């Protein structure tokens, strides 16, 4: 209060907003001149503007009679620019540099906070500025002088050579036609700097007339800076609240995207970043930083941000690698982009970078040559992948750029489990695409799994054969003991057991299946797991062991009910699935579940297969070719036998066809359907059945998931 009394209000001034020149008024900022000289004193020879770019060029006369003007220098510049012969195209017709060009540039892209003020008769009239242009001297005449100099040199060389050389012989000319421009090449050309410069140069100049400060036309235009209705008494009803009125007086800065200067991709303004939604902030930070611990991300976002929301958002744009977050490949390489080095598509780049990220989930070290050999990408692309997340060590390879974050792993086990499921699905996809074979290895004590070791098919068969020979005698004894127990049991006296001989070849297949089949989740058994095809339950279940969970056939198990619901919903959408594809979908389903869900308790391959069969599906024994590259999980095909619609009979006939044929032609399928169903099916009905169960490749039809390209 004391300060207000010491500084009383001496005058109140009415403020008016004039809009007559709101879309036409520009502020020009000239270079500094002596105070005794104003730009109105200098004759303006010409002026022109490009409205779209808001670019202005002014030509001003130079006082050649001023004692500070160097006449010899002015003559030399005019001679260099125009040459000895002066014509109508000459820049300086007087053979003296007697004028100077000023070119404008924008000082700010947001002029909504600036206005020109005119004070008259106790009233302040404000007119918003449409643009603020800063004028700087243009030295384009120097470029013209250089061009003249080069032309003279070329002319002199041509004159000397023409005296010494005879007339040239007629030479054959080869005509070449350019290839049609692709869409990606056109987009790159349109976004290039040369194209934008050419587009700006193509905009025509609009010539202007300059009027001085004391000119009558200037005085007339200056009247538009006054609000026309300022003298009239207006009764305006204030319907805005004080906060809204203040917002109108000082609006927030909202610069249009097209007016923003293009900044480098690695430059971020934290002030602008924090005005964006949280999801966009996380995405932009991860896209620029590439690799970041969760603690660093929280410190950048600020203490007021909810960590749970950040945890939910980071999983949408990044993957967990050694306790740190690495940005997803599809964020760096969008769908329509391509490699700047090799031109390969974004899909191939994402697959290669996912392989590098997956390798770092297995080990601290990665060898560049190994990545290039597997992914078949050029050295520059592989180096870009590695530089995103690793540093090179001499004679060692590439080491992950950040240390292992064990604190985050211990603090967020649910997130780690969900990320592990996602990596399991990515690993299965990479093994299929790159034909990788990962030998089962024990996990490290600290939870970091070792790197996958690539072995050949012959080595794999030899290992399986050795294991089968070592366990052959023990397995036979165990089989005989189980048979004796069955014969002696009164409960199972009426049950017929199918006995099959155990051979070395069978042992090899089972050992191989035991290596391929288990998922990276906890195992679980079944209700009738004691016998299967005469083999011990321990072997029939793929060496699965009981872990205390109720078996899938028991209705009291919540795990079984949840798993049954997932299987039924999945097969209602996709009628045919391989075990490999079903496991991938199940891992994605687990990743979408909330922490602590019952399905996180552990689901084995055997439990999953038993649930599929209990849900009304049947296993289709597709006769794969002998030299197939499909894994055992890909050779196990399951199909929904009855869905309750009108096409059940048609699908059953189709599935029976594929139980005897690996691939079939369409005419064979149509004739068999007509024969079995006893009616002439329409093309639409046949197409529906094929779409539900099959895919076409090379003119042949395969069951979904069984085609080997």
């Amino acid at each position: 209060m004391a300060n207000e009394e010491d500084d009383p209000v001496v005058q109140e001034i009415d403020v008016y907003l004039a809009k007559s020149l709101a879309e036409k008024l520009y502020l020009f900022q000239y270079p500094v001149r002596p105070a005794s000289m104003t730009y109105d004193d200098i004759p303006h020879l010409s002026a022109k503007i490009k409205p779209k770019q808001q670019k202005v060029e002014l030509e001003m006369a130079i006082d050649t009679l001023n004692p500070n003007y160097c006449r010899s220098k002015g003559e030399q510049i005019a001679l260099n620019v125009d040459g000895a012969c002066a014509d109508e195209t000459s820049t300086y017709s007087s053979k003296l540099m007697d004028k100077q060009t000023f070119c404008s540039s924008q000082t700010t892209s947001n002029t909504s906070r600036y206005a020109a003020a005119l004070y008259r008769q106790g009233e302040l009239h404000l007119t918003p500025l449409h643009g603020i242009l800063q004028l700087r001297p243009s030295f384009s005449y120097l470029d013209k002088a250089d061009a003249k100099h080069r032309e003279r040199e070329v002319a002199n060389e041509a004159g000397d050579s023409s005296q010494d050389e005879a007339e040239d012989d007629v030479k054959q000319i080869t005509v070449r036609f350019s290839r049609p421009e692709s869409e990606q090449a056109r987009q790159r050309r349109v976004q290039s700097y040369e194209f934008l410069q050419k587009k700006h140069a193509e905009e025509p100049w609009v010539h202007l007339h300059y009027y001085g400060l004391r000119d009558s036309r200037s005085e007339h235009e200056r009247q538009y800076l006054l609000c026309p209705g300022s003298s009239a008494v207006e009764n305006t009803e204030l319907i805005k609240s004080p906060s809204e009125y203040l917002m109108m007086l000082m609006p927030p800065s909202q610069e249009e995207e097209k007016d923003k200067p293009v900044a480098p991709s690695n430059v971020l303004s934290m002030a602008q970043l924090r005005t964006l939604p949280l999801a966009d902030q996380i995405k932009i930070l991860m896209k620029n930083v590439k690799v970041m611990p969760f603690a660093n991300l929280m410190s950048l976002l600020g203490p007021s941000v909810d960590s749970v929301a950040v945890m939910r958002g980071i999983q949408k744009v990044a993957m967990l690698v050694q306790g740190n977050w690495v940005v997803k490949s599809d964020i760096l390489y969008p769908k329509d982009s391509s490699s700047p080095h090799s031109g390969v598509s974004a899909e191939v780049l994402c697959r290669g970078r996912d392989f590098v990220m997956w390798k770092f989930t297995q080990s601290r070290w990665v060898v560049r040559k190994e990545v290039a050999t597997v992914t078949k990408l050029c050295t520059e692309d592989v180096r870009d992948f590695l530089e995103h997340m690793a540093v090179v060590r001499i004679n060692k390879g590439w080491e992950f750029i950040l240390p292992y974050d064990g604190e985050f792993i211990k603090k967020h086990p649910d997130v780690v489990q969900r990320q592990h499921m996602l990596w399991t699905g990515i690993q299965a996809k990479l093994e299929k695409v790159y034909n990788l074979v990962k030998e089962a290895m024990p996990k490290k004590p600290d939870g970091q799994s070792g790197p996958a070791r690539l072995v050949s098919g012959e080595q794999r068969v030899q290992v399986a054969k050795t294991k089968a020979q070592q366990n052959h005698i023990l397995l036979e004894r165990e089989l005989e003991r189980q048979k004796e127990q069955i014969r002696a049991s009164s409960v199972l006296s009426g049950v017929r057991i199918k006995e099959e001989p155990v051979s070395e070849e069978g042992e090899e297949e089972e050992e191989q299946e035991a290596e391929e089949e288990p998922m990276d989740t906890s195992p679980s058994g079944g209700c009738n797991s004691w016998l299967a095809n005469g083999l011990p339950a321990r072997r029939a279940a793929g060496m699965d062991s009981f872990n205390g969970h109720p078996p899938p056939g028991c209705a009291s198990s919540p795990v079984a009910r949840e798993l049954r619901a997932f299987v039924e919903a999945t097969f209602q959408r996709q009628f045919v699935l391989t075990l490999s594809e079903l496991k991938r979908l199940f891992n994605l389903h687990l990743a979408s579940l909330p922490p602590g869900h019952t399905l996180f308790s552990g689901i084995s391959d055997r439990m999953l297969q038993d649930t599929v069969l209990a849900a009304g599906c049947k296993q289709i024994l597709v006769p794969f070719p002998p030299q197939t590259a499909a894994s055992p999980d890909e050779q196990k095909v399951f199909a929904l036998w009855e869905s309750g619609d009108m096409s059940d009979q048609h699908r059953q006939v189709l599935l029976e066809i594929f139980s005897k044929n690996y691939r079939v032609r369409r005419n064979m399928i149509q004739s068999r359907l007509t024969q079995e169903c006893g009616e002439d099916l329409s093309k639409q009905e046949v197409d529906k059945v094929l779409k539900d169960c099959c895919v076409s490749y090379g003119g042949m039809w395969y069951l979904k998931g069984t085609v080997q390209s």
Side-chain angles (χ1 to χ4, degrees), residues 9-17 117-126 226 230 245 249:
V9 176
V10 296
Q11 184 181 2
E12 292 186 359
I13 302 175
D14 294 332
V15 180
Y16 298 92
L17 182 63
L118 183 63
Y119 181 74
R120 178 172 294 184
Q121 297 178 0
E123 298 174 349
L124 185 64
H125 298 261
L126 301 179
L226 300 175
S230 60
Y245 182 67
L249 290 178

Side-chain angles (χ1 to χ4, degrees), residues 311-483:
M311 183 66 70
R312 191 182 304 112
I314 188 66
Q315 297 182 64
K316 297 179 181 179
V317 298
M319 297 290 293
L320 191 65
V321 178
Q322 300 189 20
N324 302 282
W325 292 99
V326 182
V327 64
K328 289 184 177 180
S329 301
D330 55 358
I331 301 296
L332 295 180
Y333 303 106
K335 185 176 181 181
D336 297 331
S337 63
S338 60
S339 168
H341 306 295
S342 59
V344 299
S345 64
E347 181 182 1
V348 179
L349 292 176
C350 291
R351 193 161 55 230
R353 188 174 181 274
D354 287 345
F355 176 76
V356 174
M357 294 170 61
W358 171 74
K359 290 288 290 183
F360 277 119
T361 64
Q362 309 296 308
S363 173
R364 289 283 303 174
W365 299 89
V366 167
V367 180
R368 180 180 57 81
K369 291 184 178 179
E370 178 186 351
V371 176
T373 303
V374 174
T375 60
K376 303 296 189 298
L377 292 172
C378 68
T379 305
E380 290 78 7
D381 287 334
V382 176
R383 186 176 295 275
D384 285 349
F385 299 158
L386 293 170
E387 288 176 349
H388 289 169
M389 62 192 84
V391 291
V392 63
R393 306 294 186 190
I394 300 177
N395 298 329
K396 290 185 178 181
W398 291 78
E399 184 184 12
F400 192 69
I401 193 170
L402 294 179
Y404 176 77
D405 193 350
E407 181 179 355
F408 179 86
I409 298 294
K410 296 178 182 178
K411 190 175 180 180
H412 304 278
D414 297 336
V415 176
V416 174
Q417 176 71 9
R418 190 178 297 110
Q419 289 290 313
H420 176 70
M421 296 299 176
L422 291 176
W423 276 120
T424 303
I426 294 175
Q427 176 183 350
K429 182 179 178 181
L430 293 175
E431 289 176 354
K432 181 177 180 180
V433 172
Y434 294 132
N435 295 324
L436 302 179
V437 180
K438 188 179 76 171
E439 188 177 22
M441 297 179 65
K443 292 187 177 180
K444 295 181 181 180
D446 59 353
Q448 290 291 311
S449 57
R453 185 153 60 95
L454 303 178
V455 297
S456 64
E458 295 180 357
Q459 293 175 338
R460 188 172 173 78
V461 171
Q462 186 63 32
V463 170
K465 185 180 293 185
T466 303
K467 291 181 180 179
Q469 291 175 354
Q470 293 175 353
N471 298 331
H472 182 67
I473 298 176
L474 295 177
L475 294 174
E476 280 189 341
R477 291 177 180 176
E478 187 176 1
L479 177 61
E480 291 297 331
R481 184 169 59 255
Q482 283 286 20
K483 290 180 180 179

Side-chain angles (χ1 to χ4, degrees), residues 541-578:
M543 308 304 289
D544 287 349
S545 61
F546 295 101
N547 61 357
H549 295 292
C554 302
S556 60
S557 170
V559 179
R561 290 195 298 269
E562 290 288 340
L563 184 60
R564 176 73 173 264
F566 163 75
V567 169
E568 290 178 348
T570 303
F571 275 94
Q572 285 293 337
R573 293 191 303 267
Q574 305 182 39
F575 294 93
V576 178
L577 287 171
T578 63

